[in-house]
Amino acid sequence: MTLPIEAPNTDYDTAALREVVERRFTWAAGFERNAHRYAHRTAMTDLPSGRVWTYAELGADAGRLVAGLAAHGVGVGDVVAHQLPNCPEFALLYIAAQGLRAVSSPMNFRLAPGETAYALDQLRPAVYVYDTERSEQTAESLAKADFRPRVLIGAGGGALLPGAIRFEELCAEQAPVFTAPADGSTWDETSRLFTSGTTGMPKAVPLTSFNEVLTAHDVIMHFPVNPHDRTLNMSPWFHRGGNYCAGPNTMFYVGGEVVIMPKFDAGAVLDAVEEHRLTYLVGAPTNLERLADAQEAGPRDLSSLHGIITMGAPLERAAAIRYQDVLTPRLGNGYGVTETFWNTFLRPYDVIDMPGTAGQACIDDDVAVVRVFEDRVAEPDELAAKDNTEVGEVIMRSVKAGYAYADNPREQKKKFRDGWVYPGDLATWDENETITIVGRKDDMIISGGENVHPVQVEEALAGHPGVAAAAVTGLPDTEWGQLVAAYVVPRPGFFTDRQAAATELDRFCKDSDDLANYKRPRRYAFVDELPMTATGKKKHFVLRGQAPRDEDDGLFLKP
């Protein structure tokens, strides 16, 4: 149990220090400083358009957006939702919301319309900024949602939805340069991110300016990065590991340069490294595999790279050796969750000696592996043996965590306990407290760095009239980490042609309004029954174990 904070240990009055921390230890204050401190340095380069912003120009544009949002009634505590790829508008919204003491909420642009509608109803945003290239999906989402944002803004050159205005029209023509709000606090909620919950639908994760600053500090220390670095994050910025891992959060705070590429293309990334002399790349191991293939096919000059940082899956020894040989000797790998950012870091000098591990705790974090009990959750001091054999649950205590879910007290109580976060991952650790992740308590599938919850996919498949039952698991894959694989029990008289059935179910999932495209199964196996417990629950762990054997035996069909 958390003990109360005792009285100060001396008569030193910390009131003046507390006031400075409260008002100026904010991410907005950090960006404001850089807008004049590094006024003529490059802050952002947009590869598709070729446009470049200095810090002075970025501060001016952010100030115009602050004024434009305010003119449309956006103020303290309002949610500014945006569903965009990596683009200048995303970066500007992230900055401007903090200038108003509003809350920036980036949404996954890969969501199906039903999922987006769910998120909008949770957020109830004052503003919703959408990508005009996805106007049709956005219209479906708005039709399905119960809540309608009062301001609808289209980013991009596509046709606008009725009632929407263009992003450029939102920005005021004349406005002061961006400044941190005088009444702002380091405890202000600044961002509300989304992660998948136990039902497969997203949970809203609030973060404060305090979290924003300390996340930036964490990356600055661990890469490390400085104002002379130029970074390209290959992951979508709506992820905690996108914006916050050498994306706008980190680089605009340290005074470096963000290079924007909306969609990953291995050859284009390598070209950008050579042309723009990038110093860091960030992405999932899947990205590195494709980069290595492209570099071997057509070598570029990658000598400017200080390192490549990966997240989402461990680095295997053979793959790490290849990437070090083909791409850069300096590889790093971070482990964490949306709620806490990363909490362990496998440093470049440890990649070869500790392959497949998640490394050790980050500088400001406490990480432990606790025992797993059938009838209760372990206390933080009930540790698993440090023998790299006993499997326990990894937990973390971090200043990068907000320790809450918005409007979700049940899940909040489950995940946050006495200052510790229980994310549901299983792990071992050794005498040096090196963490090795071995699985997930909730059977989550991670494919290409994206979380896919089996229950949501199973519910979508169950909507087909030919499906009597379905269970979904992850099938190991060298490119994607895991493929979504479905075991299907057909109803009598259905799916007599199994190959045609796989194709039919694939089409059915593609047409679903409630299932994002990346979540649909890539392999199907048709079986007579599913492994079940005595109480009727599916044994996902059994399927996870047998899936590789079934793949070897040819049981799975590719649509």
Side-chain angles (χ1 to χ4, degrees):
M1 180 175 291
T2 303
L3 298 175
I5 297 175
E6 300 295 335
N9 65 329
T10 72
D11 59 0
Y12 159 51
D13 184 357
T14 60
L17 172 61
R18 291 200 307 270
E19 177 68 16
V20 171
V21 171
E22 174 89 14
R23 298 302 179 194
R24 295 301 294 177
F25 193 69
T26 66
W27 190 92
F31 177 75
E32 177 193 328
R33 287 191 291 270
N34 289 341
H36 55 78
R37 174 169 56 190
Y38 299 127
H40 303 296
R41 293 185 61 86
T42 301
M44 182 166 70
T45 297
D46 180 42
L47 292 179
S49 67
R51 183 175 175 187
V52 175
W53 283 257
T54 64
Y55 270 93
E57 291 167 338
L58 188 60
D61 279 357
R64 293 173 57 235
L65 183 54
V66 167
L69 287 168
H72 282 81
V74 179
V76 177
D78 283 333
V79 175
V80 178
H82 47 102
Q83 195 170 25
L84 301 171
N86 300 359
C87 60
E89 293 88 347
F90 187 120
L92 286 163
L93 288 162
Y94 173 69
I95 300 168
Q98 298 189 52
L100 290 163
R101 299 184 69 200
V103 180
S104 167
S105 187
M107 299 162 61
N108 186 341
F109 57 80
R110 297 167 173 166
L111 294 179
E115 296 170 315
T116 296
Y118 177 89
L120 289 172
D121 287 339
Q122 266 201 304
L123 288 173
R124 302 182 68 82
V127 174
Y128 172 38
V129 185
Y130 70 96
D131 180 2
T132 56
E133 296 298 315
R134 293 177 54 83
S135 290
E136 184 177 341
Q137 295 94 322
T138 300
E140 292 182 43
S141 301
L142 291 169
K144 287 176 175 290
D146 294 326
F147 180 81
R148 176 83 179 194
R150 65 174 182 263
V151 183
L152 186 62
I153 300 163
L160 291 176
L161 293 175
I165 62 173
R166 292 205 181 275
F167 185 87
E168 292 77 12
E169 297 172 22
L170 176 65
C171 299
E173 290 188 11
Q174 299 292 330
V177 70
F178 178 92
T179 56
D183 57 346
S185 165
T186 194
W187 303 115
D188 280 348
E189 182 185 355
T190 47
S191 294
R192 198 174 298 174
L193 309 183
F194 278 103
T195 183
S196 295
T198 56
T199 63
M201 297 305 282
K203 296 192 295 284
V205 178
L207 298 176
T208 66
S209 191
F210 185 77
N211 299 135
E212 305 273 359
V213 170
L214 291 176
T215 302
H217 282 180
D218 193 277
V219 174
I220 291 165
M221 289 187 291
H222 282 92
F223 271 46
V225 292
N226 63 57
H228 297 279
D229 279 306
R230 294 175 295 279
T231 66
L232 190 158
N233 194 314
M234 300 174 284
S235 302
W237 285 351
F238 62 74
H239 283 304
R240 185 85 187 261
N243 179 20
Y244 293 84
C245 190
N249 165 270
T250 310
M251 301 311 292
F252 295 160
Y253 193 82
V254 77
E257 178 182 349
V258 170
V259 178
I260 302 173
M261 180 177 290
K263 185 177 181 180
F264 173 73
D265 176 273
V269 170
L270 296 175
D271 290 342
V273 174
E274 184 173 58
E275 179 180 349
H276 295 272
R277 308 304 293 161
L278 302 183
T279 57
Y280 282 100
L281 298 175
V282 183
T286 303
N287 298 127
L288 271 66
E289 186 68 18
R290 293 184 177 180
L291 288 177
D293 291 342
Q295 178 68 0
E296 287 177 336
R300 279 80 156 182
D301 178 6
L302 307 183
S303 60
S304 63
L305 283 177
H306 296 169
I308 300 179
I309 309 300
T310 73
M311 298 167 292
L315 276 174
E316 306 242 344
R317 180 180 175 83
I321 291 173
R322 181 190 180 211
Y323 304 152
Q324 288 181 315
D325 180 56
V326 176
L327 299 172
T328 178
R330 288 183 53 80
L331 299 176
N333 185 257
Y335 159 74
V337 292
T338 301
E339 294 90 334
T340 60
F341 189 55
W342 63 27
N343 308 105
T344 68
F345 192 72
L346 185 64
R347 293 156 176 82
Y349 47 78
D350 290 328
V351 168
I352 299 302
D353 293 333
M354 297 191 293
T357 77
Q360 295 167 306
C362 292
I363 292 171
D364 293 326
D365 294 353
D366 297 308
V367 178
V369 179
V370 297
R371 299 179 66 191
V372 175
F373 300 103
E374 291 187 5
D375 58 343
R376 65 180 178 87
V377 176
E379 296 296 329
D381 60 354
E382 294 181 301
L383 302 177
K386 297 180 181 181
D387 59 4
N388 224 20
T389 299
E390 181 182 355
V391 175
E393 180 176 1
V394 62
I395 62 174
M396 59 277 286
R397 181 167 55 192
S398 176
V399 292
K400 294 165 291 186
Y403 289 97
Y405 292 126
D407 303 318
N408 198 336
R410 183 177 66 86
E411 285 297 315
Q412 182 171 311
K413 185 177 180 180
K414 287 170 57 179
K415 288 292 181 74
F416 307 108
R417 299 165 54 88
D418 297 326
W420 290 84
V421 182
Y422 287 68
D425 289 330
L426 301 175
T428 63
W429 61 344
D430 63 17
E431 68 278 6
N432 298 315
E433 300 188 354
T434 299
I435 307 293
T436 301
I437 305 298
V438 299
R440 298 181 68 90
K441 290 177 72 175
D442 59 5
D443 299 309
M444 186 76 77
I445 300 164
I446 304 178
S447 182
E450 297 284 359
N451 290 345
V452 181
H453 198 284
V455 171
Q456 189 184 12
V457 185
E458 289 163 5
E459 288 176 347
L461 288 169
H464 192 284
V467 175
V472 171
T473 189
L475 181 65
D477 182 74
T478 56
E479 182 179 8
W480 296 99
Q482 290 179 298
L483 293 176
V484 180
Y487 287 86
V488 175
V489 179
R491 294 188 185 278
F494 284 85
F495 301 155
T496 53
D497 183 332
R498 298 300 168 85
Q499 183 59 63
T503 301
E504 162 63 18
L505 289 175
D506 186 55
R507 181 203 59 76
F508 180 79
C509 289
K510 284 180 179 178
D511 292 343
S512 172
D513 284 339
D514 297 312
L515 191 70
N517 189 53
Y518 68 87
K519 297 179 182 179
R520 77 179 200 277
R522 263 50 175 187
R523 299 290 187 274
Y524 288 87
F526 295 90
V527 295
D528 295 329
E529 61 182 6
L530 301 174
M532 310 286 285
T533 67
T535 57
K537 296 181 179 179
K538 299 169 187 174
K539 294 184 177 180
H540 287 96
F541 69 94
V542 172
L543 296 176
R544 186 169 60 248
Q546 77 180 50
R549 297 192 299 272
D550 289 341
E551 172 77 346
D552 291 341
D553 293 340
L555 185 63
F556 282 109
L557 297 172
K558 182 178 180 180

